[in-house]
Amino acid sequence: MLNCQGYVSANDESSLGGRGSSEIETLLRGATAHLSKHEFSSAQMISEQIRVATDRFDPEIRVQGDNQPRPYTIAVVAHVARDEHHRLVNTLINLNCERFEIIFLENAMDDIWVLPIEAASSNVTVARLKFNAGIGVARNLALRLASGEGIIFIDDDGHASAASIESLISTFEVYKAAAVRGRVVLKTSGLEPPAHYAPGTDLRQHYCDIEGFAVWRTASARRVGGFDPILYGHEGVDLTARMFPFEGPDAFLYEPSAVLEHDFSRDTAGAEMKHERHRRLRKYCGFKAEHFDDVLRLFESQIHRNPVARATLFQRKWFVADGPTQVGKAKAPVGILTTCYNGGAFIPDFAAALAAQTDDAIELIFVDDGSDDGSVEMLDRYLPPSISRRVIEGGRLGRSGALNLILDAATTELCMIADVDDIMFPYRTAWTRKAYEAFPDADMIGFMICDYNLHSRASRPLPVRRTNLQVRKLLGMPAPFPAFSFKRASITEQFDVGMTAGIDCDWLFRSLNRGGCQGYILPLLAAFYRTHNGQITTTSRETQRAVALQNIAECHASILGTEPKVTLEIEMLTGWTPIRSGQAFWQVNDYAVSLMEAMADKELPWADEAAIEITRHLDAVRLLIARNDSKATAKAAEEAQSLLTQKVSTIAEVSARCAEIETEIERVMSSNSMKITAPLRALARIIRGE
């Protein structure tokens, strides 16, 4: 409906605020009250009700321009009119109109964006909410309206130059990121900036804790439901944590060259109130999301000091720089090989990850091994019809039998393992295709995985460059199976149906040793590994340990010319038994030197690379021992200092009490009481140590 101001409403109701506005306002007030009292369960329940109400709400909109999709959407939410709006609007409406659409949202009763948008050459939309819907609701409405692949939110009381906006987008494109936040500088001198405004001077992985100047991949944010509508602080961190298992840590970045001018608060008192509110909301986020704090700890304490994190980010940049060379040609599908037994709880995320693949030339081969929880029905429900799939009934063959069945069924040239309880990142298929094009001699390619507690999961040493799998098998499982791929024509080995654990490890070692396969692991995160009760890794760890060590011992024996035997040196070299002392380290070092010399004598083609990886591994172990020794020494010194302090304190207390007693004795002695003078004099001598 077109009204007299030129605004269009998606419904015929003319009530102030539009359909559902009073409901949202009431719910927001209730949620705010519950949050202030730390009644998080009630607040979370209301948050879900607001999401439902928001889906029904239709703002009035006015469009200036052709209303055609643009690559990027810029969204600005305002609650009150500000003088600085003119500066921000003038910057935005003069951006390249072929690249940007701009959405201004009026989160108030009165018109705010009474600005010269009519003169804009850009595609501009003004959305009138006509009530205070809260920042989360308004941003979610912007997500709904956005046509861009990426959506950039800019605070209305801040300013970003065109160059800073371009810098934000450039990083977003170069790394195919899920979200990129910028750096914030204060507009007003004399105020103290909070630490999170500028966490460094280098580009790095970082959760998105600057909501007022960040770009998000629109589809990814929508997939997890957008922003929590009751948050007014930590909205971006909460969204990062929910997107994390679908994207991985390398998809969230901090770009310091993209700058927003913005004040955290007007004064010190306002800053403290805001910090207190953020602390309360962080507790709410931790309450409603089991792994919220884990994600924050991973970014805060692990990534910034992890050289492997820098390597994986560099590799990501290289892999997304260009698409596969087959772009424009007819692409053969990549096979996704999945076995499932009662994996219904994981099917929605598994299907969402398949649907999100940027290279959609895929064929799912899904072996259901006798599930009785409706796994196949859930797969049909959640997997888009456009994805080719073959479902095969396994009938309780077990993990090995199901994998053999899927090997026999696979017909695609390239195959990827994708366990139903893990989540593939959106570019995994495209990266797999590109890896085989880049390294045509490879029969197998492995990527790395992550979880809520580890940026990178794989056998140590974690790869920082392309590494031969023949080298990797000397130190542990060559590559994580949840991100593993192979050429079907190269595989001759079957999975051992007599094994209950270590099945993947055993098969991979046999394929490399007897099957004649060659391949690499790349420092690139491609899948999220979900840990849960009931999985083999959790229930059969000792069996996995035994299988891995036996296979490694056989590799070493073939090089050393000895009998395959699991020794303490092998256990310590591979990390299954910790090295806790310098003596143990040199014991392992001597064994490793013998292994490297034997490889050189045999002139193995990968001997030099193996020596580099083993040396790098031992250097890391030695550094860890030194750190542990340093920590132990510091702890012992701290405990000694504590004991000394307690002793000095006790002596001081006794001395003070003795002085009080001596003073009292002198007073009594001066009272001429002859009956007690002699004993008191003797006591005084004892106190004085005479």
Side-chain angles (χ1 to χ4, degrees), residues 42 76 100 122 154 179 276 293-294 304 315 357 381 401 403 436 443 496 590 622 682 687:
S42 298
V76 185
F100 297 97
S122 300
I154 302 179
E276 174 57 32
D293 290 324
D294 294 331
H304 294 169
Q315 191 82 174
Q357 291 299 297
R381 175 183 174 187
L403 284 168
Y436 285 99
D443 303 301
D496 189 335
D590 290 344
R622 182 163 50 183
I687 291 174

Side-chain angles (χ1 to χ4, degrees), residues 314-337:
F314 175 82
Q315 191 82 174
R316 182 184 180 102
K317 180 180 179 180
W318 182 77
F319 258 80
V320 303
D322 299 295
T325 57
Q326 290 187 12
V327 169
K329 303 177 183 178
K331 294 185 293 185
V334 175
I336 311 293
L337 311 187

Side-chain angles (χ1 to χ4, degrees), residues 362-432:
I362 57 179
E363 179 187 38
L364 173 65
I365 306 176
F366 188 92
V367 171
D368 180 66
D369 198 26
S371 298
D372 56 14
D373 68 341
S375 292
V376 174
E377 290 78 6
M378 293 194 69
L379 183 70
D380 291 336
R381 175 183 174 187
Y382 285 98
L383 194 65
S386 59
I387 295 179
S388 173
R389 88 287 304 269
R390 280 188 284 159
V391 177
I392 302 171
E393 294 295 335
R396 296 305 296 126
L397 297 174
R399 169 76 169 172
S400 295
L403 284 168
N404 286 333
L405 187 60
I406 213 168
L407 276 180
D408 293 339
T411 58
T412 58
E413 178 188 7
L414 299 181
C415 297
M416 301 193 310
I417 298 294
D419 291 337
V420 73
D421 52 348
D422 300 325
I423 303 174
M424 295 191 299
F425 296 153
Y427 298 96
R428 184 186 171 191
T429 304
W431 290 344
T432 298

Side-chain angles (χ1 to χ4, degrees), residues 511-530:
S511 296
L512 289 169
N513 292 337
R514 297 198 294 268
C517 291
Q518 300 292 327
Y520 306 98
I521 184 173
L522 304 173
L524 183 66
L525 299 178
F528 175 81
Y529 180 72
R530 200 196 308 260

Side-chain angles (χ1 to χ4, degrees), residues 123 164 201 206 227 277 327 440 448 472 522 534 555-556 672:
N123 189 20
S164 286
T201 57
H206 202 288
F227 296 94
R277 172 162 54 85
V327 169
M448 295 170 69
R472 293 284 299 175
L522 304 173
C555 289
H556 289 199
N672 297 321

